[in-house]
């Protein structure tokens, strides 16, 4: 779509060049949403691709995912063998309603910053205990977990002009066991629910992350594997009926049912291989 209100495109070589934030400015990463709908309040785009951030940086501490990393780069990343949750990268990319052409333009940061319930990069990075590095204008960088970053349907903690620089996935999360469940009205359609469970290799813990069915991510942490009744009780106490996101892809009641159903499947699957 042509954005007829845009009169300038800025291509800085450093984010510090954008010291003042004006009404009408917008960061441009992949642009797959930005160019899909009229942006009547936007007159200036600031192209993040000119910053040339490395897309993926693997270290002993984990994986640093630049906000400008494309879905294609993440899906095809050749992860170290010890990172046993790496198959989730492609599984979550496949959970988006997007063609392979969109994969080559859409970015991880763009998907997270859109903060839609069905944003599967939110599902991925929240489940793997991702931490966002945020760059405000004229202030020190700050950090926030992905779970805390997204606050609701299309809402997050970003201040005007603030930039998501990267998301760090710790090595300990990448080395866990995992179980994945997803439901959609069609095979390649928008996700109605994504539930991901992870478990440490040497413990019987459980980290359960629920997204798409709810307006924001919910994460339940257990030091020891719960039984079915305890899991159900904790979900009931942690997620109110009003937190389930109702849309054309499923009623709140349907999504609540799937949350309990998939959570128990994941609990049982991970409990089978849990250390004793």
């Amino acid at each position: 779509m042509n954005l007829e209100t845009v009169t300038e495109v800025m291509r800085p070589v450093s984010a510090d060049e954008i010291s003042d934030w004006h009404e009408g400015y917008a960061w441009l990463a992949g642009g797959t949403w930005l160019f899909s709908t009229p942006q009547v309040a936007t007159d200036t785009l600031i192209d993040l691709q000119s910053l040339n951030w490395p897309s993926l940086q693997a270290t002993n501490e984990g994986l640093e995912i630049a906000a400008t990393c494309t879905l294609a780069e993440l899906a095809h990343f050749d992860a170290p063998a010890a990172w046993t949750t790496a198959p989730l990268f492609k599984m979550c990319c496949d959970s988006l309603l997007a063609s392979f052409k969109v994969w080559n333009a859409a970015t991880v940061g763009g998907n997270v910053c859109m903060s839609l319930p069905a944003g599967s990069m939110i599902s991925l990075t929240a489940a793997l205990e991702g931490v966002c590095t945020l760059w405000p204008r004229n202030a020190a960088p700050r950090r926030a977990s992905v779970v805390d970053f997204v606050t609701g349907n299309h809402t997050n903690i970003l201040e005007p002009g603030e930039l998501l620089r990267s998301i760090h996935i710790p090595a300990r999360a990448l080395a866990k066991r995992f179980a994945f469940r997803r439901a959609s009205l069609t095979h390649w359609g928008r996700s109605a629910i994504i539930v991901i469970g992870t478990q440490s290799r040497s413990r019987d813990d459980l980290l359960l992350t629920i997204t798409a069915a709810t307006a924001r991510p919910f994460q339940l942490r257990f030091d020891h594997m719960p039984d079915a009744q305890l899991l159900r009780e904790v979900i009931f106490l942690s997620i109110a009926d009003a937190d389930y996101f109702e849309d054309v892809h499923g009623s709140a009641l349907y999504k609540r049912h799937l949350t309990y159903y998939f959570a128990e499947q994941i609990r049982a699957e991970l409990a089978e291989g849990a250390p004793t």
Side-chain angles (χ1 to χ4, degrees):
M1 173 178 288
N2 292 327
L3 301 182
E4 297 178 351
T5 60
V6 173
T7 59
E8 183 179 8
V9 178
M10 302 173 67
R11 294 184 173 87
V13 297
S14 169
D16 293 335
E17 293 180 28
I18 313 299
S19 56
D20 296 320
W21 191 259
H22 300 284
E23 193 172 334
Y25 278 14
W27 298 111
L28 168 63
T32 53
W33 174 79
L34 196 63
F35 286 102
S36 71
T37 187
Q39 306 293 337
V40 294
T42 301
D43 56 44
T44 301
L45 298 179
I46 305 168
D47 191 353
L48 296 176
Q49 299 299 335
S50 63
L51 301 177
N52 292 318
W53 293 334
S55 293
L56 296 158
Q57 293 181 290
T59 67
N60 291 335
E61 285 71 42
L63 181 65
E64 197 78 15
I65 306 173
T68 50
C69 174
T70 65
L71 301 187
E73 289 173 316
L74 183 65
H76 300 133
F77 175 62
D78 186 13
W83 290 3
T84 47
T85 58
L88 278 171
F89 296 174
K90 187 173 186 302
M91 294 168 74
C92 286
C93 287
D94 283 336
S95 298
L96 282 169
L97 180 58
S99 69
F100 75 93
K101 291 184 286 187
V102 171
W103 272 28
N104 284 280
T107 62
V108 174
N111 187 258
V112 172
C113 289
M114 279 295 293
S115 301
L116 298 176
S120 63
M121 295 299 97
I122 299 169
S123 309
L124 171 69
T125 54
L128 296 184
E129 303 167 63
V131 176
C132 302
T133 295
L134 309 177
W135 284 1
R137 300 302 89 211
N138 300 312
R142 62 182 181 130
R143 291 165 67 83
S145 70
V146 175
V147 171
D148 293 332
F149 177 84
V150 179
T151 56
N153 176 28
H154 203 30
T155 62
N156 55 53
I157 65 171
L158 284 174
E159 298 292 336
E162 193 166 27
L163 179 62
L164 171 61
R165 167 60 182 86
S166 62
I167 300 173
H168 177 75
I169 308 296
R172 57 177 172 74
L174 289 162
K176 287 185 170 185
R177 301 173 63 241
F178 77 91
F180 175 92
R181 296 292 188 278
R182 171 183 177 264
S184 172
L185 294 181
T186 61
H187 183 65
W188 297 110
R190 181 185 175 110
S191 298
I193 181 172
I194 297 177
V195 185
I196 301 173
T198 63
Q199 181 185 63
S200 303
R201 287 282 169 181
S202 59
R203 297 174 55 199
D204 69 338
D205 60 337
L206 173 64
L207 183 65
L208 193 72
T209 305
I210 300 160
T211 56
T214 52
R216 63 177 178 84
F218 280 84
Q219 198 161 67
L220 311 178
R221 190 180 298 269
F222 300 87
D223 290 334
H224 300 284
M225 183 64 71
D227 60 21
Q229 182 61 32
L230 176 59
L231 177 62
R232 188 174 184 86
E233 289 174 358
V234 172
I235 294 173
F236 176 79
L237 293 173
S238 301
I239 307 177
D241 287 351
D243 291 320
Y244 289 98
F245 184 69
E246 184 161 346
D247 61 4
V248 297
H249 304 281
S251 68
L253 186 63
Y254 166 71
K255 293 179 180 180
R256 185 181 68 177
H257 167 73
L258 287 179
T259 297
Y260 289 110
Y261 181 70
F262 285 154
E264 171 53 23
Q265 285 190 342
I266 286 173
R267 185 203 68 81
E269 180 178 328
L270 292 177
E272 281 188 14
T276 58

